[in-house]
Amino acid sequence: MGMIQRWDIFKGLGGFKGIGQRLVNLVYPPSCIACSAALADEDGLCPACWRQIPFITHPFCARYGTPLPVDHGGMMLSPLAIADPPVFGRARAVARYDGIARDLVHGLKYGDRVELARIMAQWMVREGSDLLADCTLLVPVPLHRFRLWRRRFNQAAALAEGIGRQTGIPVGYESLLRVKATRPQVGLTRSERSTNLEKAFKANPVDLTRIAGARIVLIDDVMTTAATGNATARTLLKAGAASVDLLVFALVAKAG
Ligand SMILES: [Zn+2]
């Protein structure tokens, strides 16, 4: 998809435009969410920042969502996806975790920038349309309670809320629980690491009927490695989910 089409889609996806929005604009003039430059109609990205987002476009790996160098057509798999397939079905990311995409993730995670979630969720709905078309339940990757308290809110839950609102797909905010702070991974073997991480998640007993047979899309802000996606997917599959895919805003290129 070309830059112009993406820009048109982005503009077309804007929130409600009515007298209420115009009143809001009198008080809070619309501005670029990355550089704060003034914008004409509503909050979003200015064209200069838009061009700097490292979008992941075709070709990408059908399992890990990572960019691939050459397009051979059809469904493509990275060497890693063939050698070491993930537990989740498909992962998809809007952008590489770099430049302005990284700034937006940091703004959402550490700043007080809740308005970013709505706009980032719009892009996730667009780029994750294949995954969301089959989805019956959105599940945000949970933070440990201690970290939730420190950061005041879970950025994955904020993105899931935005996606749920735009698509009408229900969100299981509490379907997946983080039951303990993850032990430091340093010095552990790969298999010890995955066991360590898997013990950190638990399907919520209260939500088991909801999870059973559900086609779940896990929502997170960043995929750094496939480890968290694999651990959470395994937990939900064991609890009876029919399928688990993973939709993130940004992906660290080495993740797959
Ligand atoms: Zn800008």
Side-chain angles (χ1 to χ4, degrees):
M1 193 183 290
M3 188 72 71
I4 300 299
Q5 275 171 294
R6 282 173 175 279
W7 177 246
D8 287 342
I9 288 160
F10 169 58
K11 298 286 282 180
L13 278 169
F16 68 97
K17 294 188 184 81
I19 194 151
Q21 185 64 54
R22 285 197 292 276
L23 285 172
V24 167
N25 289 352
L26 283 176
V27 185
Y28 304 104
S31 58
C32 173
I33 56 174
C35 74
S36 302
L39 293 179
D41 44 15
E42 63 198 18
D43 283 350
L45 278 182
C46 71
C49 288
W50 177 262
R51 279 191 296 272
Q52 291 177 55
I53 293 252
F55 286 107
I56 294 175
T57 53
H58 284 280
F60 54 81
C61 170
R63 298 295 305 278
Y64 282 106
T66 42
L68 294 172
V70 188
D71 192 351
H72 299 295
M75 195 187 82
M76 294 174 58
L77 295 172
S78 60
L80 179 66
I82 295 163
D84 189 10
V87 177
F88 49 81
R90 300 168 287 180
R92 186 77 180 93
V94 171
R96 281 183 295 107
Y97 184 59
D98 202 4
I100 285 180
R102 186 169 52 197
D103 295 345
L104 294 176
V105 167
H106 280 218
L108 183 63
K109 189 177 282 191
Y110 301 111
D112 204 4
R113 306 283 310 275
V114 184
E115 83 282 5
L116 291 181
R118 181 182 59 84
I119 294 165
M120 291 161 77
Q122 285 177 353
W123 300 339
M124 290 169 77
V125 167
R126 177 71 210 169
E127 301 303 327
S129 58
D130 287 357
L131 277 59
L132 295 171
D134 302 331
C135 174
T136 60
L137 184 66
L138 298 166
V139 175
V141 173
L143 284 178
H144 188 261
R145 282 192 197 287
F146 176 66
R147 281 200 263 168
L148 186 62
W149 171 72
R150 286 281 298 274
R151 282 192 202 145
R152 295 165 56 199
F153 91 120
N154 177 357
Q155 68 280 0
L159 292 171
E161 182 188 18
I163 295 167
R165 196 170 286 169
Q166 289 165 52
T167 57
I169 302 169
V171 182
Y173 290 103
E174 302 269 300
S175 295
L176 194 60
L177 303 174
R178 196 134 189 167
V179 288
K180 66 177 179 85
T182 315
R183 256 173 64 203
Q185 303 275 54
V186 181
L188 300 181
T189 66
R190 191 161 177 267
S191 111
E192 283 169 341
R193 264 178 224 219
S194 84
T195 314
N196 182 24
L197 199 54
E198 201 184 324
K199 281 191 203 146
F201 298 101
K202 184 183 166 199
N204 191 340
V206 173
D207 270 15
L208 285 181
T209 50
R210 218 177 176 194
I211 294 167
R215 293 190 302 277
I216 293 174
V217 174
L218 281 161
I219 304 295
D220 211 349
D221 56 347
V222 181
M223 174 157 87
T224 310
T225 69
T228 302
N230 280 337
T232 47
R234 194 175 285 119
T235 303
L236 290 167
L237 289 168
K238 276 185 186 166
S243 65
V244 180
D245 293 323
L246 176 61
L247 178 58
V248 298
F249 181 76
L251 173 135
V252 176
K254 66 174 166 54

